[in-house]
Amino acid sequence: MKRPRKTHLAPPHHRTTTEPPAARGRARALAAAVVAALCLGTLTLSAPASAEESRGVEIPAFYDPPAELPAGNGDLVRTEPLPLALSLPGIGGRFPGEATRLMYKSTDSNDRPVAVTGAYIEPKADWKGEGPRPLVAVAPGTMGQGDQCSASLGLEHPISFNGRSVSVGYEDLAVYRLLSSGAAVVVTDYAGLGATDRLHTYVNRVDGGHALLDAARAARSVPGASVTDSSRVALYGYSQGGGASGSAAELQPSYAPDVQLTGAYVGAPPADLTEVIKGIDGSGLAGALGWSLNGFLQSDPALEEVADRRLNDAGRDALDDLSTMCIGDALFGYGFSKSTKWTTDGKSLSDVVAEEPAVQATLDAQRIGRSKPAVPVRVATGTQDDIVPHEQARQLAVDWCEKGANVTYAPIALPNLGDKLVTNHVAPLLTDQGKAISWLTARLSGEEAGSTCAQLPNQS
């Protein structure tokens, strides 16, 4: 099976829906909710910037990696000023700060060099905690797989709509709240989400963890940055970002011991992808199945033989289509899709995983929780989350506790806001964000974290 490429693709195929009326009704309701959310933001019509194109959106030439990369992980490739869409002039500089677009070198799960893009923001607010100005490395949640979906572009264009692609920079809220504390912030775009030379390896544990840690390294070399090698560093991530943050916390002692890590917020982490596939299939976020498959086919070409046998034409078309989509596009185009429509025998992807040892091995290698983080971690998960299932996220906290890690487990109890509608997954992000940032700020100030591992067996 030929792997999809994310640039220079033909327009998406016309699709006819075979979903039942009830599912179409839920999709229309979800689409209406997305439209309402867009109306609350700043609508930006994307303007041409270079020859690279993803789904009709021109990608700035900055995101095209050079043929050769520097030797060191976290070494800068290039930087340029990044205009923040939401900023105010003030005495001594703009609020919330001055932003820099950056490209840096990282290493992927195959131990190969990879260019990663992102953004660094030097805050205008003073740091009032202990020690020098600290740094928070932000791992974005699910953005999509097209280059135009990257979080760094989201800081410049919080909402982008061109008729074919809808991109929402929803992580901007967390970034601005962190900046208001006086901490500097660096945001990674992950491998392939931004940089135009490869597909984004969605929820790849090693790629995500490496990209986040190397973003922290890169921040120290940004011209004008006040953070140094001695600055305390914290990790922030929810959903896909929670997985990257959790992975980075596990990998840091061996991969980036020079990063002065003090804590990690691990929100709604997809720690066990076998269980997450079950939650996503048939949900509003069903398109994420395609992003996962695309990424793993790129990282592990040996899986192509399985894909050739098990995916039908509709499945191949979906993977090709989704490879250039952002989360907004996927909600509209693939919300509530069932993976049984993508397979040759009508079995679900969960069935395929159970029947194919090679796929099982790939997903097993992605499991988070098998190594002990060396710093305190805060694992938060909505008890009603049915997209990134609550139980597997809770199990991550249990696994880390059993290894002797310092874990603060935070179950977020909310009413059921609609099965498979994504609302049970998104609501905890918003309701817990303030507590998560306060917890991280305390770690950056040098305060010790109390573990809740002793209470975990009695918590839901």
Side-chain angles (χ1 to χ4, degrees), residues 30-407:
L30 182 58
V34 173
V35 171
L38 295 178
C39 291
L40 295 175
T42 302
L43 187 65
T44 303
L45 299 180
S46 300
S50 79
E52 285 291 348
E53 180 178 296
S54 186
R55 210 166 180 82
V57 178
E58 298 287 348
I59 309 301
F62 180 93
Y63 290 86
D64 188 14
E68 298 292 331
L69 296 176
N73 289 322
D75 285 355
L76 287 174
V77 177
R78 62 174 71 113
T79 64
E80 70 175 17
L82 171 63
L84 294 174
L86 304 174
S87 65
L88 296 172
I91 298 174
R94 301 188 66 83
F95 182 85
E98 296 295 330
T100 301
R101 200 186 324 265
L102 50 90
M103 179 183 288
Y104 58 94
K105 186 256 184 181
S106 187
T107 298
D108 69 13
S109 56
N110 291 315
D111 203 29
R112 295 171 181 165
V114 57
V116 180
T117 56
Y120 171 81
I121 306 100
E122 177 73 17
K124 186 175 184 299
D126 293 331
W127 170 246
K128 296 182 174 60
E130 176 188 303
R133 188 188 300 279
L135 174 72
V136 178
V138 172
T142 297
M143 296 291 174
Q145 202 159 45
D147 292 322
Q148 78 278 15
C149 317
S150 67
S152 62
L153 283 174
L155 288 164
E156 185 176 4
H157 306 292
I159 298 175
S160 180
F161 173 67
N162 76 337
R164 288 179 59 198
S165 183
V166 181
S167 180
V168 182
Y170 59 85
E171 290 289 10
D172 294 4
L173 175 60
V175 169
Y176 279 54
R177 293 179 76 168
L178 288 163
L179 290 169
S180 68
S181 73
V185 172
V186 65
V187 182
T188 182
D189 289 336
Y190 299 122
L193 188 61
T196 58
D197 61 335
R198 62 172 66 196
L199 279 173
H200 170 42
T201 44
Y202 182 71
V203 296
N204 183 300
R205 177 180 64 86
V206 174
D207 283 13
H210 284 182
L212 188 60
L213 292 168
D214 288 328
R217 286 167 157 160
R220 304 184 302 221
S221 300
V222 171
S226 59
V227 296
T228 67
D229 291 356
S230 62
S231 293
R232 292 187 175 113
V233 178
L235 310 176
Y236 175 97
Y238 187 91
S239 191
Q240 179 188 0
S245 178
S247 173
E250 291 185 343
L251 294 168
Q252 180 267 336
S254 59
Y255 182 77
D258 56 302
V259 173
Q260 305 303 314
L261 197 60
T262 61
Y265 167 58
V266 182
D272 183 347
L273 294 184
T274 300
E275 294 301 314
V276 174
I277 286 172
K278 298 175 185 176
I280 291 177
D281 203 346
S283 76
L285 197 57
L289 293 175
W291 297 328
S292 302
L293 287 171
N294 282 335
F296 291 130
L297 284 168
Q298 177 176 257
S299 298
D300 187 0
L303 295 180
E304 289 185 11
E305 184 273 332
V306 178
D308 284 337
R309 285 190 290 107
R310 303 303 296 258
L311 291 178
N312 59 23
D313 288 344
R316 296 185 184 93
D317 287 348
L319 264 59
D320 187 67
D321 197 10
L322 283 159
S323 70
T324 57
M325 281 188 168
C326 297
I327 187 169
D329 318 2
L331 287 169
F332 287 117
Y334 289 91
F336 307 104
S337 294
K338 303 268 182 72
S339 65
T340 53
K341 307 292 186 183
W342 297 357
T343 59
T344 54
D345 54 10
K347 291 185 177 181
S348 70
L349 287 180
S350 290
D351 292 332
V352 172
V353 170
E355 295 172 359
E356 297 287 348
V359 182
Q360 290 179 30
T362 294
L363 296 188
D364 189 58
Q366 299 301 319
R367 184 72 178 266
I368 306 170
R370 290 179 172 154
S371 299
K372 174 187 172 183
V375 297
V377 290
R378 183 178 187 272
V379 178
T381 168
T383 58
Q384 298 286 346
D385 195 336
D386 54 351
I387 304 297
V388 180
H390 165 68
E391 285 301 326
Q392 61 86 43
R394 182 186 185 278
Q395 186 61 47
L396 174 61
V398 171
D399 292 343
W400 276 341
C401 282
E402 290 178 347
K403 289 176 173 56
N406 184 325
V407 180

